[in-house]
Amino acid sequence: MKIVLPGSTIGVLGSGQLGRMFAIAARRMGYRVHTYSPDRDSPTGQVADVEIDAPYEDLDRVRDFASAVDVVTFEFENVPAATAETAAQYALVRPAGDVLHTTQHRLREKTFLRQHGFPVTNFEAIRTSEDLLRTVPGFGPAILKTAGFGYDGKGQYRVSSPADAQAAWQKMAHQEAVLESVVDFEAELSVVGVRGQNGDCAFYAPSANEHVGGILDISASPSPFTKEVAETAIEITRGLLEQLNVTGVLCVEFFLTRDHRLLVNELAPRPHNSGHLTIDACITSQFEQQLRAVCGLPLGSTEMLRPAAMANLLGDVWAAGEPNWAAALALPDVKLHLYGKTEPRPGRKMGHLTATAATPEAAAALVRTARSHLLS
Ligand code: AMP
């Protein structure tokens, strides 16, 4: 058990918005932050003490980075295994690299879930053309997803015939893939959980999530599902934190089927977009929890002070010029978070808005109104 006290230095692999919000939480509690990624003037680098821009494959630079910090964590799970292993030779790495190894690859992740008895969407591994020809007929409506390096619906194709599937696989340059049944879900939800160094766990109330084009659009919490659904989702998350032996934050994304079963869709061993509302709505944010967990400190309360909803701001919001920030902020219960990215490309996560209100439905309506005001 190693406790990393305020005043120490945390290393963050990755430099996007998750690292930025983590760094803000860490600096508020008196820690220093070093970030490592191939980018310069990154969302995390802008608020960190030190920004190292070097390839993940440059293991000499990774060694120097890890040697200068007290604990290393991630904000990005597609860090190569060799990078995590090298960092672990010079610093404590939390969560451990094998958690990353399982969750950064859809096939490994889904196989882990199935082998450990967690409810998961029906799937098959696709490694050869023969696998596709054998599996697609009789499989029903399906989605073909790349096994590695996919997120936010990238590298995913709906397929209904062997010809479709071959064309989709061609677009993926014949990379290893997962063929997954399309779930006719009633809703999507997620649970952010955290596990401390001593095995203590804490959970946020599930969020109800709406995606557009495979990207999260709106999260609202507490979710409108039954107590039983919420409790089951939390117990599955607890089981996963324990089975994966996570020290840190884990987000579990679920489908709720029309017959009220929960299926695990995806795991993220880090703070998650659907947990951003915890910054403005909960006693302890998901980023502060990650900090407390990786530093071996007691976890904070996950209690929600007020129902909340979050709306993502993608680059598309800039299509007609600078958004009207003042119009959104004229609603006093709305908070603006921008990630310091200069190029607002379509589909790129640039920031988010959070609204709090008396009910999650009212918060969702308010955050949508605020976002529409940006275009006024
Ligand atoms: P993913 O990147 O796998 O989390 O997928 C992004 C989004 O695409 C999900 O949140 C769903 O909205 C949708 N999606 C992914 N897989 C499936 C599936 N098997 N059935 C139905 N919708 C899916």
Side-chain angles (χ1 to χ4, degrees):
M1 182 114 167
K2 181 181 169 197
I3 303 202
V4 177
L5 291 171
S8 308
T9 304
I10 320 277
V12 180
L13 284 165
S15 65
Q17 61 270 18
L18 301 176
R20 179 187 183 90
M21 291 180 268
F22 172 82
I24 290 170
R27 292 192 67 154
R28 200 180 57 195
M29 279 177 55
Y31 288 88
R32 293 181 177 275
V33 178
H34 293 190
T35 176
Y36 187 108
S37 84
D39 301 320
R40 208 180 273 230
D41 191 32
S42 61
T44 311
Q46 290 167 11
V47 299
D49 296 86
V50 173
E51 177 179 52
I52 298 167
D53 64 301
Y56 290 118
E57 294 72 21
D58 186 341
L59 300 182
D60 290 336
R61 299 293 299 276
V62 172
R63 180 197 58 211
D64 295 346
F65 159 76
S67 307
V69 303
D70 298 288
V71 57
V72 169
T73 190
F74 305 92
E75 69 98 47
F76 169 66
E77 69 256 41
N78 288 331
V79 168
T83 309
E85 281 160 22
T86 302
Q89 288 167 22
Y90 300 93
L92 202 61
V93 175
R94 287 180 174 150
D98 56 340
V99 177
L100 216 62
H101 183 73
T102 305
T103 56
Q104 71 186 187
H105 188 270
R106 285 187 204 281
L107 203 49
R108 281 199 290 271
E109 178 175 288
K110 286 182 190 296
T111 305
F112 171 90
L113 289 166
R114 187 150 71 188
Q115 279 174 350
H116 289 82
F118 292 100
V120 64
T121 324
N122 177 36
F123 72 92
E124 289 285 344
I126 304 296
R127 297 191 179 91
T128 63
S129 274
E130 290 71 47
D131 288 342
L132 266 187
L133 289 174
R134 183 175 42 78
T135 314
V136 174
F139 195 84
I143 303 185
L144 190 66
K145 301 182 177 179
T146 48
F149 297 93
Y151 63 95
D152 283 346
K154 291 194 177 114
Q156 302 194 4
Y157 302 89
R158 291 220 173 197
V159 298
S160 53
S161 67
D164 277 0
Q166 289 289 2
W169 204 42
Q170 175 94 38
K171 284 192 204 137
M172 297 176 181
H174 297 164
Q175 288 175 67
E176 192 178 22
V178 180
L179 186 76
E180 191 179 302
S181 296
V182 172
V183 179
D184 178 25
F185 55 79
E186 184 181 305
E188 291 187 80
L189 60 145
S190 56
V191 173
V192 174
V194 57
R195 184 162 174 265
Q197 216 185 125
N198 59 1
D200 280 356
C201 292
F203 303 89
Y204 292 93
S207 291
N209 302 328
E210 289 175 37
H211 292 78
V212 174
I215 304 180
L216 184 65
D217 184 46
I218 304 272
S219 285
S221 185
S223 61
F225 312 116
T226 60
K227 193 162 167 268
E228 194 191 343
V229 166
E231 284 174 1
T232 307
I234 287 173
E235 281 320 302
I236 291 172
T237 307
R238 182 193 302 280
L240 282 163
L241 279 165
E242 285 170 359
Q243 288 282 346
L244 285 163
N245 195 19
V246 175
T247 299
V249 169
L250 176 77
C251 176
V252 185
E253 290 185 80
F254 297 93
F255 295 125
L256 181 63
T257 64
R258 296 203 182 269
D259 55 354
H260 281 240
R261 282 176 304 121
L262 284 167
L263 296 176
V264 175
N265 173 34
E266 243 191 342
L267 308 179
R270 51 163 172 77
H272 189 259
N273 198 165
S274 62
H276 291 356
L277 54 78
T278 61
I279 299 175
D280 299 306
C282 296
I283 290 182
T284 315
S285 77
Q286 61 170 350
F287 299 99
E288 183 178 329
Q289 296 285 30
Q290 180 186 17
L291 176 73
R292 288 174 177 238
V294 304
C295 289
L297 293 172
L299 304 178
S301 165
T302 53
E303 189 186 333
M304 180 165 263
L305 298 167
R306 214 168 170 218
M310 184 266 349
N312 267 337
L313 302 178
L314 303 182
D316 312 61
V317 174
W318 277 251
E322 190 67 18
N324 188 346
W325 304 119
L329 294 174
L331 300 163
D333 291 331
V334 170
K335 308 287 272 188
L336 172 66
H337 299 253
L338 287 173
Y339 307 146
K341 299 181 186 177
T342 47
E343 250 184 85
R345 291 191 296 272
R348 187 174 196 208
K349 290 177 180 169
M350 303 294 291
H352 69 268
L353 295 171
T354 306
T356 55
T359 65
E361 294 76 21
L366 182 58
V367 85
R368 283 181 198 279
T369 302
R371 189 167 59 179
S372 71
H373 286 186
L374 294 177
L375 305 177
S376 62

